[in-house]
Amino acid sequence: MLFRPTAACYKNLKASSKTWVARQFRDPYVKKRLSDPAAYRSRSAFKLLEIDAEWDHFLQKPDVRAVVDLGAAPGGWSQVVAGKLGWGAEASKLPSGGYAYGVKSELEMEKKGTWSSPKSVSHQEVFDPLNIDALKEFTPSAGRGTIVAVDLLRMQPIHGVHAIQADFLSPEAADRIHELLSVKGNLEGKADIILSDMAGNASGNDTHDIESSLEICEAVYEFARRNLRSAEDVGRRRGGVLLMKHFEHPLLQKFRMEKLQPNFNDVKYIKPEASRSASREGYFLCQGWRAIDI
């Protein structure tokens, strides 16, 4: 699929949208996403692939049996996890709807948002489409472990991924996540890895955007504090992993010093090559949850 709007479509776009389309067309990771056999739904999938490859292949450890992806829509990171855990062999055969593909879809995604603070969203209720059931016609072999994706926006199914449409901090979502994770071998319902590629919708006001980033990071940390398996329980110093996006600022470094470093054995700041150089985004990779701050 070529990422190029028709002349008529391009002519009717606003100046800001034309700039965005031009940037997308030049972006090598956008081109790679559109041509990759894995059919990733977002270019951010390559950020997670890069981080995992560079830092100890934490997604592929044999003791990883439960992963939670917060703010998952449109599903690029969940696709990566499903592939790493052996669920992704049939992913390219899935319908490619939603906000994932094409110029119109890309612009709609920018307009409405794709994370747990979307720009416009109606009242939602928790739902749990059994994505594996939706793929009976493929009858692929099963992967391992449990993957749960949570977002206020509805996602197209991904083989091996349980999707919950809800605010991940709501009691209903917490109960459903715990229920899905509480399977044989994981009766306590804990996650081995918690991922968050969430960011608030950019307002153009630096103060507001930084405060939004901090609020999201604090919410994700609070979720991890209650739901992440400890390194001691895993039996591995770097077991119990939290990966979260943030925007670089002294307030976020203070958050790292006060919340992350005392409670994890190792905390790294990462800016993957797939992250645009002009962006202030970065990632905290926190490994070895100590479960001190309970």
Side-chain angles (χ1 to χ4, degrees):
M1 178 186 296
L2 294 176
F3 187 87
R4 184 188 294 274
T6 64
C9 176
Y10 188 81
K11 180 179 179 181
N12 293 327
L13 294 177
K14 295 180 180 179
S16 59
S17 295
K18 289 181 179 179
T19 300
W20 183 85
V21 168
R23 184 190 68 181
Q24 294 294 91
F25 184 70
R26 294 191 303 267
D27 191 313
Y29 288 97
V30 171
K31 295 178 181 179
K32 185 176 182 180
R33 178 177 75 83
L34 296 173
S35 62
D36 195 291
Y40 292 121
R41 298 179 182 182
S42 62
R43 73 182 297 284
S44 65
F46 296 104
K47 300 175 190 177
L48 181 57
L49 287 167
E50 181 184 337
I51 293 171
D52 179 63
E54 187 172 350
W55 300 104
D56 198 32
H57 298 281
F58 57 89
L59 290 173
Q60 302 171 64
K61 297 300 181 185
D63 51 47
V64 172
R65 48 192 165 168
V67 180
V68 178
D69 184 7
L70 302 176
W77 277 28
S78 291
Q79 284 180 296
V80 170
V81 176
K84 297 295 184 184
L85 296 187
W87 293 101
E90 303 295 324
S92 62
K93 298 181 182 179
L94 287 172
S96 61
Y99 297 141
Y101 298 89
V103 173
K104 284 188 176 181
S105 296
E106 296 279 1
L107 292 173
E108 190 73 6
M109 189 165 61
E110 175 164 281
K111 176 183 177 183
K112 293 187 177 180
T114 60
W115 37 75
S116 289
S117 55
K119 296 179 180 179
S120 63
V121 64
S122 59
H123 175 71
Q124 307 286 359
E125 295 180 357
V126 175
F127 79 104
D128 176 38
L130 297 180
N131 300 319
I132 298 175
D133 291 345
L135 301 174
K136 287 180 180 177
E137 60 185 286
F138 299 134
T139 61
S141 58
R144 64 180 177 88
T146 304
I147 307 166
V148 180
V150 189
D151 202 293
L152 284 176
L153 297 176
R154 187 163 189 164
M155 281 172 43
Q156 291 289 332
I158 299 172
H159 180 55
V161 178
H162 298 278
I164 300 176
Q165 187 175 5
D167 181 344
F168 72 91
L169 291 176
S170 69
E172 295 82 6
D175 290 345
R176 188 67 179 121
I177 293 169
H178 186 268
E179 179 184 352
L180 289 169
L181 295 182
S182 299
V183 297
K184 184 178 179 180
N186 186 24
L187 296 180
E188 70 274 32
K190 296 287 187 178
D192 297 293
I193 298 174
I194 295 174
L195 305 172
S196 169
D197 195 33
M198 286 187 289
N201 299 304
S203 69
N205 183 305
D206 283 351
T207 300
H208 176 274
D209 292 345
I210 292 301
E211 288 177 351
S212 175
S213 178
L214 180 59
E215 288 175 3
I216 290 172
C217 286
E218 288 176 336
V220 170
Y221 173 77
E222 179 62 23
F223 179 89
R225 189 178 67 84
R226 300 193 307 269
N227 295 283
L228 188 60
R229 195 187 321 278
S230 70
E232 182 179 2
D233 287 344
V234 174
R236 182 164 53 86
R237 186 178 182 276
R238 292 187 176 180
V241 176
L242 170 63
L243 176 65
M244 66 167 76
K245 178 156 72 178
H246 71 285
F247 291 128
E248 186 62 24
H249 188 272
L251 283 177
L252 275 301
Q253 291 306 314
K254 182 180 179 182
F255 165 77
R256 171 183 175 172
M257 296 293 293
E258 293 182 353
K259 294 293 186 180
L260 302 182
Q261 291 190 176
N263 291 291
F264 287 90
N265 290 326
D266 186 59
V267 178
K268 295 181 177 70
Y269 166 78
I270 300 171
K271 187 174 179 65
E273 289 186 11
S275 179
R276 292 187 174 96
S277 58
S279 172
R280 296 171 65 179
E281 74 173 14
Y283 293 84
F284 289 134
L285 175 60
C286 313
Q287 296 173 292
W289 170 238
R290 296 175 183 170
I292 298 172
D293 183 15
I294 297 295

